[in-house]
Amino acid sequence: MLMLLLQSWIPFIPESASTLSDDVDAVYFYISGVTVFFVTLISLVIIFFVIRYRRRNPFEIPRPVEGSTKLETLWSVIPLVISMTIFVWGAKVYFAQYRPPQHAMEVYVVGKQWMWKFQHTTGQREINELHVPVGRKVKLIMTTEDVIHDLFFPAFRNKMDVVPGKYTVQWFEATKPGRYHFFCAEYCGMNHSGMRGYIEVMEPAAFDNWLSGNANAASPAAVGHSLYESLGCASCHGANAEGGRGPTLLGVFGSNRVLNNGTAKADEGYVRESIINPQAKVVTGFGPIMPSFQGQVTEEQLLSLVAYIKSLSTTQPETTTAKPPATGTPQSANPVRSSSPTSPNR
């Protein structure tokens, strides 16, 4: 109730329309309230001291001030307690905001000067507009084709940088149907101010109807499967991703991979790096035989390949790659024909 009163009373506060926006506002109002209180208190104390202890004649010598342990303890403990409440409360909201829940509805996002491109897992594509259902968790997997951008949803109090060469993630759960603005919050060039759009929050039934309106669109996973075949990935990873000269891709996504130089979680970033810079993380038991695909696939195609590899894990729980025994001939001993098509080997 207090949050509603503050949001309606204070001008220029965007509408609150997500499960986390009230928490963000509460931290914001708390910090603002503490700041206003102490600015007012210190200002009044300064004014009082200036008047009360003003110099009344040129020869007046002020009385020496002795130290006060109680006073010094008080002005040390109170700021510490206030600082810790801000830290703990802020950290709690931060971790809730930047840890996407499992089984959220995923949407792929590609930023480009000066537009936002969205693609749903069913294949539906949108530019500068995003449709989502109310009351459902939505996870955005984001990258950019050029410079750094930042996708900001004021009504959801969510923002996250979109950085070249990597994937970043943000999530939200809308609580009110409606149409809300989103912006690029990172200066990205001459037409930065035009890099904005709307998010349409719909009732679940209306959203499902809207989503089914483009049933002929190929899903990112289907597009990724086509790329997998056209790029020749099957020559090393198998026609059904069952493995060969390269490791199997079945059940890879979400698993812990044992590498020649450590371990790694097979998430979106790992798959992307495996395609762009395959020598960075080589799975134990396999040689560094895979060439880089950098410059041969766009960011949207990379997202499609990620979606395809992710789809290979939907029926298999997270597993840990078993390190092969020290004896025996490693699979990397098999030579690679230079004329054969290449494919991801991790």
Side-chain angles (χ1 to χ4, degrees):
M1 181 60 72
L2 178 61
M3 292 305 304
L4 290 176
L5 289 174
L6 289 172
Q7 288 164 357
S8 59
W9 179 67
I10 299 178
F12 310 118
I13 296 293
E15 186 174 358
S16 175
S18 79
T19 53
L20 291 175
S21 53
D22 283 346
D23 294 336
V24 175
D25 286 351
V27 176
Y28 173 79
F29 289 136
Y30 175 67
I31 295 174
S32 299
V34 170
T35 303
V36 170
F37 172 78
F38 279 100
V39 166
T40 304
L41 177 64
I42 293 171
S43 299
L44 292 176
V45 170
I46 290 175
I47 293 171
F48 171 77
F49 281 2
V50 167
I51 297 173
R52 177 67 178 82
Y53 299 104
R54 69 186 183 279
R55 196 175 189 183
R56 292 177 173 78
N57 65 70
F59 304 103
E60 182 180 8
I61 300 176
R63 188 178 59 184
V65 177
E66 300 292 338
S68 172
T69 303
K70 291 182 179 178
L71 188 58
E72 292 178 0
T73 302
L74 192 65
W75 70 41
S76 297
V77 170
I78 290 178
L80 175 64
V81 171
I82 293 174
S83 300
M84 290 307 298
T85 58
I86 293 174
F87 171 75
V88 173
W89 196 358
K92 179 175 179 291
V93 174
Y94 175 84
F95 285 117
Q97 198 167 29
Y98 292 102
R99 284 183 174 174
Q102 292 184 339
H103 310 302
M105 187 187 89
E106 294 185 346
V107 177
Y108 297 106
V109 184
V110 177
K112 179 183 180 182
Q113 291 177 323
W114 288 272
M115 66 175 70
W116 293 104
K117 297 187 284 189
F118 302 93
Q119 186 174 23
H120 297 264
T121 53
T122 53
Q124 203 92 334
R125 291 178 179 272
E126 302 183 76
I127 293 180
N128 292 341
E129 192 169 50
L130 175 62
H131 290 74
V132 298
V134 67
R136 193 179 302 176
K137 297 176 177 60
V138 178
K139 175 184 175 183
L140 304 181
I141 303 169
M142 309 183 295
T143 189
T144 169
E145 291 184 0
D146 36 55
V147 300
I148 184 171
H149 301 281
D150 189 295
L151 187 53
F152 177 35
F153 300 92
F156 301 160
R157 311 295 192 268
N158 260 34
K159 69 189 293 292
M160 175 59 74
D161 281 351
V162 184
V163 183
K166 64 180 295 185
Y167 295 130
T168 55
V169 170
Q170 65 171 312
W171 78 277
F172 56 81
E173 181 180 347
T175 55
K176 297 178 184 175
R179 187 174 173 86
Y180 307 100
H181 288 282
F182 63 76
F183 307 91
C184 177
E186 182 78 32
Y187 181 73
C188 57
M190 185 174 62
N191 293 327
H192 159 72
S193 61
M195 194 169 174
R196 58 187 177 179
Y198 291 93
I199 181 167
E200 190 81 34
V201 180
M202 311 171 73
E203 293 291 349
F207 174 77
D208 291 339
N209 288 335
W210 174 86
L211 202 62
S212 62
N214 190 15
N216 295 326
S219 68
V223 174
H225 187 200
S226 298
L227 285 169
Y228 179 85
E229 295 177 339
S230 63
L231 293 172
C233 306
S235 63
C236 289
H237 294 287
N240 298 309
E242 70 276 16
R245 287 181 297 185
T248 177
L249 300 180
L250 296 173
V252 161
F253 194 86
S255 66
N256 294 316
R257 309 293 289 164
V258 179
L259 311 174
N260 289 337
N261 54 355
T263 60
K265 176 89 169 181
D267 55 9
E268 290 91 352
Y270 171 85
V271 175
R272 185 186 192 283
E273 187 181 35
S274 298
I275 300 170
I276 297 300
N277 184 20
Q279 314 305 325
K281 295 184 178 73
V282 179
V283 173
T284 296
F286 295 88
I289 60 175
M290 176 178 164
S292 170
F293 280 74
Q294 188 163 20
Q296 300 182 48
V297 288
T298 66
E299 289 295 340
E300 290 184 73
Q301 290 174 325
L302 279 170
L303 281 171
S304 297
L305 287 168
V306 169
Y308 170 62
I309 294 173
K310 191 183 296 185
S311 71
L312 300 174
S313 305
T314 54
T315 58
Q316 185 163 336
E318 179 175 318
T319 58
T320 300
T321 304
K323 191 171 183 176
T327 58
T329 304
Q331 298 185 43
S332 57
N334 296 330
V336 179
R337 292 174 297 177
S338 58
S339 59
S340 64
T342 54
S343 61
N345 69 350
R346 297 183 297 166

